[in-house]
Amino acid sequence: PYAALPEPSIAGQPSYRNTQISNDLPVTLNPGVYDNGIKISGNGPVTLLPGVYILRNGGFQLSGNGTLTGAGVMLFNTVADHPLSSGACGAWTVSGNGAVTLSAPTSGTYKGMLVWQDEDCSDKKISWSGNGALTSSSGTIYGPTAEFEISGNGEAAMNVNSQNVTKTFRVSGDAAINLNYTS
């Protein structure tokens, strides 16, 4: 359903390389191009400022016990040839015991789109697992060639106002899953 939606452009975007957060201090990230993706493993709070995050050749990994929050964000996981990047699409993995609260932009080109995985990343899953909670989040999770996998034992592994548009959808574990979508 989103085939006509243009992929985000990297032109004029700030660029960050090898973003790895592994401490317990508060961290704030800015929109832009993240070569080799974003990897968060600490226990501190991480905040995403509003905008588009292009995860080029590295994906998104969140583990640990911290929190991740962001309002008006769209995360685009993609693969592209670039001399500073690994040249391979990265996995989209959220695990651990922390809470994730994200919401998609409410206006503009990517209104309502929270997570978008490039169709060229067909060998990578979008995976949410662990004992934490995905709460108070809203927006479409779009991966036309991806397997979406959710597992874990948290209070609410997924309790969101969203839609899921992926090739397959796999659920395991003891957590409750509630998808409440209103266009």
Side-chain angles (χ1 to χ4, degrees):
Y2 297 102
L5 189 64
E7 292 185 359
S9 172
I10 62 170
Q13 297 293 325
S15 183
Y16 308 94
R17 186 164 186 247
N18 296 327
T19 301
Q20 297 186 24
I21 301 165
S22 60
N23 60 46
D24 296 341
L25 302 173
V27 175
T28 300
L29 297 179
N30 294 299
V33 179
Y34 284 81
D35 283 306
N36 298 320
I38 297 174
K39 295 168 182 61
I40 303 168
S41 61
N43 296 319
V46 176
T47 302
L48 303 178
L49 294 178
V52 176
Y53 292 76
I54 301 171
L55 311 168
R56 184 166 58 180
N57 301 325
F60 184 85
Q61 295 175 17
L62 171 68
S63 61
N65 299 313
T67 61
L68 175 66
T69 60
V73 299
M74 195 273 282
L75 297 111
F76 179 63
N77 190 23
T78 189
V79 60
D81 291 329
H82 190 272
L84 298 177
S85 297
S86 63
C89 188
W92 178 276
T93 306
V94 175
S95 62
N97 299 312
V100 177
T101 304
L102 299 172
S103 65
T106 57
S107 63
T109 303
Y110 304 109
K111 177 182 178 181
M113 184 67 68
L114 181 61
V115 174
W116 179 0
Q117 182 158 296
D118 188 336
E119 65 183 31
D120 291 334
C121 298
S122 60
D123 62 333
K124 301 299 179 188
K125 291 181 184 179
I126 300 172
S127 175
W128 298 82
S129 64
N131 296 316
L134 174 60
T135 60
S136 303
S137 295
S138 63
T140 296
I141 298 170
Y142 178 55
T145 59
E147 175 179 312
F148 183 91
E149 181 177 59
I150 186 164
S151 62
N153 300 306
E155 292 177 17
M158 178 174 262
N159 186 10
V160 295
N161 295 311
S162 71
Q163 64 179 340
N164 182 294
V165 181
T166 54
K167 183 176 179 181
T168 60
F169 188 86
R170 183 183 312 269
V171 179
S172 64
D174 296 325
I177 298 170
N178 299 303
L179 294 174
N180 305 306
Y181 176 69
T182 303
S183 60

